[in-house]
Amino acid sequence: MAAIESVLKENRVFEPSEDFKAHANVSGMEGYNALCEKANQDYEGFWGELAQELITWKKPFTQVLDESRAPFYKWFADGVLNISYNSIDRHLADKANKTAIIYEKDDGSSENITYQQLYERVCRFANGLKSLGVQKGDRVVIYMPMVPDAVVAMQACARIGAIHSVVFGGFSSGAVKDRVQDAAAKVIVTANESVRGGKNTPLKATVDEALKDGDCTSVEKVVVFKRTATEVPFTEGRDIWWDDLIAGQAAECEPEWVDAEHPLFILYTSGSTGKPKGVQHSTGGYLLGAMVSMKWVFDYKPDDVYWCTADVGWITGHTYIAYGPLAVGATQVVFEGVPTYPDAGRFWQAIEKHKVTTFYTAPTAIRSLIKLGADLPKQYDLSSLRLLGTVGEPINPEAWMWYYEVVGGGRCPIVDTWWQTETGSNMIAPLPGAVAIKPGSCTLPLPGIMVDIVDESGASVDQSNGGFLVISRPFPSLLRTIWNDDARFQATYFPEELGGKLYLAGDSAHRDEKGYVWIMGRIDDVLNVSGHRLGTMEIESALVANPLVAEAAVVGKPHDVKGEAVVAFVILKGDRPEGEDAKRIAQELKTWVAHEIGKIAQPDDIRFGDNLPKTRSGKIMRRLLRTLAKGEEITTDTSTLENPQVLDQLKHSV
Ligand code: WTA
């Protein structure tokens, strides 16, 4: 990848300023090292103390970590709590009138919601869910636009012990159906439409389509939030408007006190197979990860205005919108729109307007905004900013420098945070008042996170050698299992080949002379397109489900804005199409994938051949496909190929 190449040549270093250091929650390398030292000497004591200090427990835990059924670890198992209580109720004594959420609407208007108001909204909706028969442990699928009510729905589930599974609003009916079925959801919460970039997109209609053939037998009710005035057809007895559900509900709802290990949510993410995995998180350990990172990585201060631009459909929106900022009592922006509407100055304008101090976004957004208006930030007063963050993919040093200088005015540290849906919270990231930053590196693990880089046998590699990124001790916010699939959880994340005790992240990485981690990319068939995780197998299964397609192979190719773009090599059942025919079918297949999975998975580039390059034993040579996708010449030996003539056909995009 081009980004990786330039990352590898990087050697600039930026120390935290004296001023930042002086006020930071963790100050200087002394502060960082002291925490690491403590974690090394008394691992359980370290996490146990943090859990006591940061979380309000209904009943305190007596055991920190239970490893008796490794790798099915338990944290704080006999402790009892409620995460909604921790996110809202406990702030009411002194922060009832503090703004919890600044709702920045698509059209540029905004609305503030205080902690007291949020409390009432969450309680009413929680009572509404209860009135539909939702009980502790039931699954609720949330398929919502980026409105505060999406957070309300998540918090309301957590309040009554129901397990939410948020499905990103950009996913199609097929993806909704798969997830609803896998989780056996009882209720779906959606909206009539979403509004983004001045455009309305139907959501309820997509849910209707997912449910239409009656395969989702678990679903009893569909709750519909009215975001726009557009009417939508209702199914009698099944569908109910959000407003009708909460009408007359009490503005108080006693939290359901749950064990720390009670599942908080399931979030589906892509892996190496065609079927997304339902990553299952706990309540107590997850909350601790979210809070610790708010404090250390985002250096949270009570008068911060925090803004994470993610969507609640992804893990970043769970941890750094729906839970983390609320748990620490922050004021945060919840943004409904897109970075380019009405123009590419939208982020900067909103930072000025709300005096945002802490801004957390994705490298792909930064790259696209540089392209559309590198000078635009200068038109706004960004002096409120004190800390910047990135997540989701490696950031190339050029984009990093622009973010640092043009957006941050050379004054704001950038926290490049490496983590995953599975890890629940930031794992490797500079603590901004302590760790000197280097463009393109996520730097050092958080104290208490035991990161290593190992070879195929699980042995640590020598410094500077590349290898598999692993975490060698269990940590509180780690996923607990894959929903309904313990075997897949164990085989995927704690593989026997590495000894069965190391958490295998799925990324390759190396360390430099300072011990800084540089992420190099995935080791599996997962692509990272605009910071979104997509499985090549998932896209291949979608393509093969099309009646025209006999076989398909999907790989990534470098893309200067998206990071990676999807390239699909397709073999049709009929003859290889050419000219206009090829164009038409390629377009048809793109639309098909958008319909099966969602627009984000749509191939950028489709190529047709008589066959895929295969070895004599029938194995697809993906390595060659990756070379072809990049438009590079194949220089390696192809004599083991059954059908070298197809390489020429597959060179050409339609
Ligand atoms: C990649 C997103 C480099 C990585 C929170 C990981 C990163 C995958 C970074 C997880 C980063 C995430 N630098 N790569 N700072 N952050 N990644 O589950 O490949 O959507 O395995 O979680 O994104 O993606 P996920």
Side-chain angles (χ1 to χ4, degrees):
M1 270 171 65
I4 302 269
E5 300 271 297
S6 63
V7 155
L8 297 180
K9 294 193 215 97
E10 185 55 44
N11 49 28
R12 282 169 285 205
V13 185
F14 299 84
E15 297 284 344
S17 70
E18 282 311 316
D19 184 50
F20 198 100
K21 193 170 152 182
H23 299 102
N25 291 341
V26 177
S27 182
M29 282 308 277
E30 321 78 76
Y32 172 78
N33 288 331
L35 287 167
C36 293
E37 192 53 29
K38 197 165 165 197
N40 279 333
Q41 281 177 1
D42 176 13
Y43 192 68
E44 292 187 26
F46 170 82
W47 285 115
E49 275 173 38
L50 285 166
Q52 273 163 6
E53 176 197 324
L54 297 173
I55 294 176
T56 305
W57 297 90
K58 179 75 172 170
K59 180 174 155 278
F61 55 89
T62 58
Q63 187 186 14
V64 173
L65 171 62
D66 175 357
E67 299 187 79
S68 60
R69 279 189 64 237
F72 298 91
Y73 301 104
K74 291 182 179 165
W75 286 88
F76 321 118
D78 62 349
V80 173
L81 77 164
N82 180 283
I83 196 168
S84 173
Y85 179 91
N86 273 273
S87 308
I88 306 171
D89 306 35
R90 64 168 167 169
H91 306 313
L92 297 181
D94 59 343
K95 289 193 274 289
N97 296 322
K98 178 172 178 176
T99 299
I101 290 176
I102 301 170
Y103 172 24
E104 170 73 16
K105 294 190 189 181
D106 188 63
D107 68 6
S109 63
S110 49
E111 213 172 277
N112 288 3
I113 303 168
T114 65
Y115 272 94
Q116 179 68 35
Q117 290 164 336
L118 184 63
Y119 169 80
E120 289 169 15
R121 284 165 78 157
V122 168
C123 287
R124 284 214 167 85
F125 195 67
N127 286 327
L129 288 175
K130 280 209 245 177
S131 76
L132 297 179
V134 178
Q135 293 174 355
K136 178 179 172 188
D138 285 345
R139 273 80 58 207
V140 174
V141 159
I142 299 176
Y143 183 65
M144 291 274 281
M146 266 305 290
V147 292
D149 309 83
V151 176
V152 168
M154 293 163 83
Q155 284 281 345
C157 287
R159 193 162 188 93
I160 63 173
I163 303 169
H164 60 68
S165 182
V166 182
V167 178
F168 172 57
F171 277 127
S172 68
S173 61
V176 173
K177 181 172 166 180
D178 288 348
R179 287 157 175 77
V180 166
Q181 282 185 324
D182 192 74
K186 195 172 195 174
V187 168
I188 302 178
V189 182
T190 188
N192 56 346
E193 295 184 311
S194 67
V195 185
R196 292 183 80 217
K199 282 202 296 272
N200 296 10
T201 308
L203 291 179
K204 168 68 162 60
T206 306
V207 171
D208 286 343
E209 200 181 324
L211 300 182
K212 76 166 188 258
D213 48 17
D215 294 341
C216 299
T217 47
S218 60
V219 176
E220 294 173 11
K221 297 282 174 191
V222 176
V223 181
V224 187
F225 178 78
K226 199 170 199 163
R227 172 59 187 88
T228 65
T230 308
E231 287 300 327
V232 287
F234 261 42
T235 299
E236 203 44 52
R238 186 196 72 186
D239 300 347
I240 177 166
W241 286 111
W242 175 295
D243 283 341
D244 292 339
L245 180 68
I246 60 169
Q249 297 292 351
E252 271 171 21
C253 171
E254 172 69 11
E256 176 80 35
W257 302 105
V258 299
D259 294 343
E261 283 295 318
H262 181 68
L264 174 65
F265 65 84
I266 307 166
L267 182 59
Y268 287 84
T269 190
S270 298
S272 309
T273 73
K275 191 176 174 286
K277 308 176 274 202
V279 168
Q280 179 184 320
H281 277 286
S282 70
T283 302
Y286 173 80
L287 173 60
L288 185 59
M291 292 194 69
V292 163
S293 49
M294 282 303 298
K295 183 174 165 183
W296 290 346
V297 180
F298 295 104
D299 191 48
Y300 171 68
K301 301 283 160 48
D303 45 11
D304 274 338
V305 178
Y306 178 88
W307 183 10
C308 164
T309 68
D311 188 287
V312 289
W314 309 115
I315 190 69
T316 309
H318 280 60
T319 310
Y320 298 106
I321 295 176
Y323 293 108
L326 297 176
V328 297
T331 294
Q332 71 170 324
V333 175
V334 170
F335 178 48
E336 181 177 38
V338 296
T340 48
Y341 177 81
D343 59 43
R346 183 65 190 267
F347 278 169
W348 327 127
Q349 181 254 332
I351 289 170
E352 174 183 279
K353 175 175 162 197
H354 301 299
K355 302 201 167 42
V356 170
T357 61
T358 312
F359 182 67
Y360 190 31
T361 196
T364 185
I366 298 169
R367 289 192 298 263
S368 72
L369 294 178
I370 294 173
K371 250 196 161 141
L372 293 169
D375 281 338
L376 279 175
K378 294 189 180 133
Q379 296 178 15
Y380 300 93
D381 177 5
L382 304 182
S383 61
S384 57
L385 286 171
R386 66 178 195 90
L387 181 60
L388 301 173
T390 67
V391 56
E393 44 174 332
I395 179 164
N396 45 310
E398 300 71 40
W400 194 101
M401 285 309 302
W402 179 84
Y403 196 33
Y404 186 76
E405 278 167 355
V406 182
V407 178
R411 171 186 84 245
C412 308
I414 297 178
V415 289
D416 176 343
T417 60
W418 178 88
W419 60 297
Q420 310 175 289
T421 306
E422 292 88 342
T423 68
S425 58
N426 296 166
M427 294 285 112
I428 313 178
L431 306 197
V435 179
I437 46 183
K438 292 187 185 184
S441 171
C442 50
T443 75
L444 299 173
L446 271 66
I449 302 299
M450 308 304 186
V451 166
D452 200 0
I453 297 171
V454 302
D455 63 19
E456 287 88 353
S457 71
S460 302
V461 297
D462 289 339
Q463 188 253 310
S464 90
N465 282 355
F468 303 140
L469 183 66
V470 298
I471 302 176
S472 58
R473 294 226 55 188
F475 51 91
S477 68
L478 180 67
L479 82 161
R480 293 305 190 254
T481 190
I482 292 174
W483 180 255
N484 271 340
D485 205 344
D486 286 349
R488 189 174 172 197
F489 164 78
Q490 191 154 4
T492 308
Y493 300 115
F494 293 91
E496 277 308 320
E497 297 86 315
L498 301 185
K501 282 194 153 294
L502 302 173
Y503 167 75
L504 178 66
D507 282 339
S508 60
H510 72 98
R511 274 193 272 227
D512 66 15
E513 68 296 341
K514 279 183 95 150
Y516 280 23
V517 177
W518 300 78
I519 304 292
M520 300 166 74
R522 297 285 307 188
I523 55 170
D524 51 12
D525 297 318
V526 169
L527 304 182
N528 195 327
V529 179
S530 300
H532 301 318
R533 227 170 116 168
L534 295 170
T536 52
M537 284 276 290
E538 258 173 89
I539 307 174
E540 287 165 8
S541 320
L543 283 166
V544 175
N546 184 290
L548 296 176
V549 176
E551 214 180 352
V554 166
V555 301
K557 73 169 174 191
H559 185 281
D560 60 356
V561 172
K562 299 179 178 185
E564 272 185 300
V566 178
V567 184
F569 296 90
V570 177
I571 315 308
L572 298 184
K573 284 179 184 155
D575 289 341
R576 174 166 56 92
E578 291 184 80
E580 284 309 308
D581 252 5
K583 282 207 175 94
R584 183 179 47 77
I585 298 174
Q587 189 49 49
E588 218 175 288
L589 293 179
K590 288 183 187 179
T591 312
W592 172 271
V593 172
H595 181 264
E596 291 288 297
I597 307 175
K599 264 216 174 91
I600 51 169
Q602 198 166 290
D604 287 73
D605 182 350
I606 292 190
R607 304 184 186 186
F608 295 107
D610 293 328
N611 204 338
L612 295 169
K614 287 178 188 155
T615 61
R616 284 175 219 281
S617 58
K619 202 170 163 324
I620 299 172
M621 297 284 280
R622 285 179 182 273
R623 181 174 52 78
L624 296 179
L625 291 176
R626 279 191 279 269
T627 308
L628 290 174
K630 279 191 253 179
E632 289 171 3
E633 283 303 318
I634 291 173
T635 52
T636 51
D637 181 21
T638 54
S639 61
T640 55
L641 277 189
E642 169 84 50
N643 48 4
Q645 71 283 3
V646 300
L647 294 176
D648 246 2
Q649 300 168 359
L650 296 171
K651 264 187 195 162
H652 310 289
S653 326
V654 172

